[in-house]
Amino acid sequence: MYRYLTYLGYRVRYVRNITDVGHLTGDADEGEDKIAKKAKLEQLEPMEVAQQYTDTYHRDMEALNTIRPSIEPRATGHIPEQIELVQAILAEGLAYEVNGSVYFDVLKYNEKQQYGKLSGRVLEELVSGSRELDGQSEKRNAVDFALWKKAAPEHLMQWDSPWGKGFPGWHLECTAMSSKYLGKHFDIHGGGMDLMFPHHECEIAQGNACNHVDPAKYWMHNNMITINGQKMGKSLGNFITLQELFTGQHPLLEQAYSPMTIRYFILTAHYRSTLDFSNEALKGAEKGYKKLMNGLRTAQKLQARPPLAQEAPDEKQVQQVEQILRQLFRAMDDDFNTAQAIGHLFNLLKKINSLYTGQLAAEALGETLFRELLTRYVHFVTEILGLREEQPNHQEALLEALLGVYSEAKTARNYAKVDAIRAQLKAVGIVVKDMKQGIDWAYEE
């Protein structure tokens, strides 16, 4: 999304926050802080744990060729802003303090606003379904959620506040940081479908309570990952990390899958659809990725051609190419449908391959459309979809040198050497292509 909006010419401020405090086990208002729990187990400072996970995340996102956000704030770096928000919500009469903790009063908020409008939850049903909890909590109602929690003396992460030592609730940080860096009402808020309720619903309530406006115009939720048709989870033993995918070191994996294969695979599904990881699907993605990379190399070679000396437009071919180009943008404009866009890219690739083999003359498209076809393909693959060739730079030089030896052997009719070089390259996934205009290579698809 960030790449495409930027490509269209928008100035995008992309904020991605790091939750390093306030997210309790079980995603509830009771229990241990997830970071603090890990810190105790491993005898580390909580910030060491947070930094380890942040560094690992950055490493994996870099491998997947994702662009860093404009701002990446941390919850622990915005405690004063979160305390101010709690005070503002208290001043509106939509929160209450009990024994050093502050809770959002959902029922009172619902008198004027609609709690549950994003997820479609009905508050009366939520209240009815949680009645058995009444009397077991200091909350007025079980549906209320924590804005600030009192810290026990042994709690590792705690700050001074007007209500005593404590720490912020999980939902509060997002409202504080989005308001600070994007304003009270901004364009797009993303997240997984599992965050729609209660997390994003609570953000909407907080935003309306203190800023008197919905925080975001659009909420975009990506769907969940499944493994061989089952929901991915540690308890099921089918939880696979990115590093395990990259190395193939997992019982469910038949081989390693490169970062760009994983990126391509994710893009072949619409973000609101479920994504099922299986060896069969990943191997198919590997082939698809290599096809796009072969097309990228071909398109870049065609771009190096000198301007056309003459033109002989073929109206049918012109219309076909123009339609594919329109469909590419139409797919991305329709809720960032990368799956459809990739399908149209393959149609464009057929034209590129025909141009390369001479089956389709560049003159039939004319100089302007010929260049646009190549440019759009390269841009969509690299700038919008964010795919890149994974071959090291020095390997390209070695390949060219080996193809030179291959060419000499072929000229000398040393077919034993020709076959040996072909076999050696095929063993590492490279196919030698003997063409009218010379010898080339491609990834084995």
Side-chain angles (χ1 to χ4, degrees), residues 4 7-8 296 299 303 321-322 324-326 328-329 341 344-345 348-349 352 368-385:
Y4 187 59
Y7 185 78
L8 294 180
L296 181 63
Q303 283 181 318
V321 171
E322 287 178 341
I324 296 169
L325 292 173
R326 285 194 299 271
L328 269 172
F329 284 98
H344 298 315
L345 268 181
L348 202 60
L349 179 53
I352 291 170
T368 302
L369 187 58
F370 171 67
R371 298 294 169 187
E372 185 183 1
L373 180 158
L374 300 174
T375 300
R376 293 299 187 197
Y377 182 88
V378 171
H379 285 179
F380 259 83
V381 171
T382 60
E383 294 184 31
I384 295 172
L385 297 182

Side-chain angles (χ1 to χ4, degrees), residues 3 110 180 221 235 345 378 423:
R3 285 175 175 276
N110 202 61
K180 180 168 183 173
H221 295 96
S235 60
L345 268 181
V378 171

